[in-house]
Amino acid sequence: MCCLIRDMIESFSRRVFSGSSGTYNVHALELAAAKVRKLKGLDLTVHFLDDTEHVFHVEKRSKGSALLDLVHQHLELVEKDYFGLQYPENKAGPKAECMVWLDPSKTLKKQLSNCQTNLYFKVKFYVSDPSKLQQEYTRYQFYLQIKKDILEEKLIVAPSTAILLASYIVQSEIGDYCSEDHDGNYLSNLQLIPGQTLELEKKISELHKLHKGKSPADAEFHFLDHAKRIDMYGVDLHNALSEDYDTVLVFNMEAYRSAKTLWKTCVEHHTFFRLHSPKVKKKFPISLGSKFYYSGRTEFQTVSDIQQKGKVEHKFVRSPSRQLIKHITPAPSLEEKGKSFMAPARPSRPYDNKVTSLGSKEPRKAWGADSQISDDDGGFLDKPLDVPFSPGKILSYADDDIPSPTSNGLYDTPPYSASHSPISQIIEDGSVTITLFPDDEGKYGFNVKGGTSKDVPILVMKVAPNTPADNCSPRLSEGDQILQINGKDMSNVTYEEAVKLIQEARTTNGGKLVLQVKPNVLYSGLEEYEEPPYQYVPIGDAQTVQSGNPLEQSMLLLADGLASGALVARYETLYRKHPDMTCDESLKPKNVNKNRYRDISPYDSTRVVLKNGTNGDYINANYVNMKINGTEMVNKYIATQGPLQSTTEDFWQMILEEKCTLIVMLTTLVERGRAKCHKYWPSVGECLTMQNVTVKCIKEETDLTGSFVYRDFVVTDTAIKEDREIKHIQYMVWPDHGVPSSPAQFLQFTEKVRDARRDDAPVVVHCSAGIGRTGVLVLMETAMCLIENGEPVYPLEIVKTMREQRAMMIQNASQYRFVCESVHAAYLKNIVPQKEEEVPEST
């Protein structure tokens, strides 16, 4: 190589200087030197997440940071610290088992061999919440990465979640569903999920229809917001063997290089996510152990820097999903059969493939109370779908008024008014003073949380796009600590006091609101406190709020939460399964087939244990006991799945052993062609005989509307020849998707259940999975009892109590909103009269 270069220079020099009279061609010589330098450099191909690639020329002795800078400039990437470049250490391509991150602090010569010319741009640090990403383009890169992880099955996703995520991909790339343009196979040419079938495409299409009105940016945000909840999201896997020595767990890596790679990954992730700044290297004469340090910026530094700079969005082109198969329309000619071709271009929309203002147009609700959502398919919709916060969808803020009766529960965020410009001033101690004026609708556009007690800080929770709070420089961001509001110190105030100060500012001094804020997105002490439940502060009749009637106050708060949407937003933050409770018994091989759905399992600590079961002691059922505050009353339930044919005998054995007298059924046997429950009872006049019990149906009646069916059974314990009468009430018209059309009929049904209660025996309640509709009924009856006794009703606390006894009770936001509306209706219409206090007789 050296000889070749030398010969080139000598040859070129002879041509340049021959025949000259003491002059030489400077430009030609510089070109020759440039060619020589180019030979010493590297041409590296970087493959990007949108399946494009670009060749970068760098000096071989340059550090990795030089190549990274060129990549960031090429992409115009601002929030660059989340990303990195990977290359295969064993030169086996992008799917090699050992992929290594390019080290910015080391030279390319030490890291790349002559044959390693391909690198892959990837997400290195997976953000815990997409709302921390300030730039739409950054969120788009994350969206591409996760979509690629799912397709390559690096991220294993439950089918229900995969279907939901795919529906957001379709909305982002195709736009709103149109029956005229989108036939039954309009998704067949898009590669959306692994193992894609026509049946899965139909489910994806059904969800796609519900996303109408969402822009690509909205759909991608929802995609990320659901993806962050996947169990293996952001997990970097390394092959290892384990050895267990008493209390010590040892990981054996395949080779020294593998161990070093794992160690470096751990150091980088710990520093990036958990520290404010990287550790400073300390030089010692003798050093032991690894010398590796993470030299980049931490997440805290990245977010703080972007806040200070503000948003600078740029236009970019979104890439389509990979093509799978030939599109069926238009039909190909005979000559073209067997050839695949791209789907026909769709008409452009105003917001396709470019950044748009997220706050100027309100998208329609995809998951409102009237949406068609399956409730008991055992996790068909893996996560609640009513996302509490996303660009363009703002549910509630600390300064919101109650919407008008015609409002749909969302708030428009009009373009920022220049007449109410925010002013910010940097203070020497790192805090920022921001002066805000409300917009034309009287809103500042942010919400707060914290203040559980006097020592818990008040933090910014949400910021609406294109509002005064969003247009500050630096802008307010989630996690910022509010130190002062209009000069009042916030270090020892509660949530209610903070909200009251914000609301009062709108009516004084021209709406001027002065905030002293400490930009601190990753507040280090926050994890020590549990965020309190939402405490809704209604605006209006202060005398009523201070009247001292706890029930009346709780109903005011309930109405305010329903109107603003904050009630559902808080519900979304609840855990679905208690993190400290196990479901090990349901996973045993002998019990797996007794579960109707794989992801619906009873807690071990509260499960019903059969004493004399013919097939063992397991049944998918939990005790759920609901204490009525202010009384000695405890409503006892057994929440269970709809029996399978193979578990019918277990179900009746449970009825026998628990001395139950009432069964409440909230489903039909078949809904939309799918079996929801086995017919576990005999027809009128017939008898069902099992090993330990016989069941005879002696009566069956349907009400005039066809909504309810009442049955009477006689259950006989064959061992002791003892009979017991059992009431059976079935709700026949609960829609397969969504909730009842109005609370009135549901309240009537709940009253029937209350009237049928006898003794102290638990009421057996089941739907299909035993969590969705079952939870709605339990909450409703609990609330009725509380209203009857003049006690306040806090639905969120009731849900938490239920989920401490059976996972996922009240399965989705649609059900939760409906039951809250039913509770409020029951109170307003005096369906449950309050008991009068007993006056002691005078002596």
Side-chain angles (χ1 to χ4, degrees), residues 68 71-72 80-86 101-102 120-125:
L68 284 167
V71 171
H72 297 152
K80 55 192 177 184
D81 300 281
Y82 294 98
F83 304 91
L85 292 174
Q86 266 193 334
W101 290 106
L102 186 72
Y120 301 88
F121 178 79
K122 295 183 177 181
V123 172
K124 186 174 185 179
F125 301 111

Side-chain angles (χ1 to χ4, degrees), residues 20-35:
S20 66
S21 58
T23 63
Y24 60 92
N25 191 331
V26 176
H27 180 65
L29 191 60
E30 289 176 347
L31 288 176
K35 291 181 179 178

Side-chain angles (χ1 to χ4, degrees), residues 33 104 113 136 186 247 351 503 543 569 701 723:
S113 64
E136 179 184 332
Y186 75 103
T247 59
Y351 46 72
Q503 293 174 345
Q543 292 183 350
E701 293 180 349
D723 294 342

Side-chain angles (χ1 to χ4, degrees), residues 496-509:
E496 296 93 332
E497 293 171 328
V499 171
K500 185 178 180 181
L501 285 170
I502 296 172
Q503 293 174 345
E504 288 176 347
R506 293 185 303 180
T507 59
T508 57
N509 198 17

Side-chain angles (χ1 to χ4, degrees), residues 597-670:
Y597 302 104
R598 289 181 301 172
D599 53 349
I600 309 298
S601 303
Y603 293 141
D604 294 324
S605 59
T606 59
R607 74 180 183 94
V608 176
V609 179
L610 300 179
K611 302 177 182 64
N612 299 305
T614 57
N615 300 311
D617 67 1
Y618 177 79
I619 185 171
N620 193 317
N622 289 103
Y623 298 108
V624 177
N625 297 328
M626 306 301 295
K627 187 180 186 307
I628 308 304
N629 295 333
T631 71
E632 299 297 323
M633 186 190 311
V634 177
N635 285 343
K636 296 180 180 180
Y637 304 89
I638 292 178
T640 184
Q641 68 181 19
L644 299 161
Q645 183 175 3
S646 59
T647 64
T648 295
E649 189 165 359
D650 295 333
F651 178 83
W652 285 110
Q653 184 68 32
M654 177 181 70
I655 299 295
L656 191 69
E657 294 181 3
E658 298 298 329
K659 297 180 171 51
C660 300
T661 59
L662 176 61
I663 302 171
V664 180
M665 181 176 181
L666 300 170
T667 181
T668 53
L669 298 179
V670 178

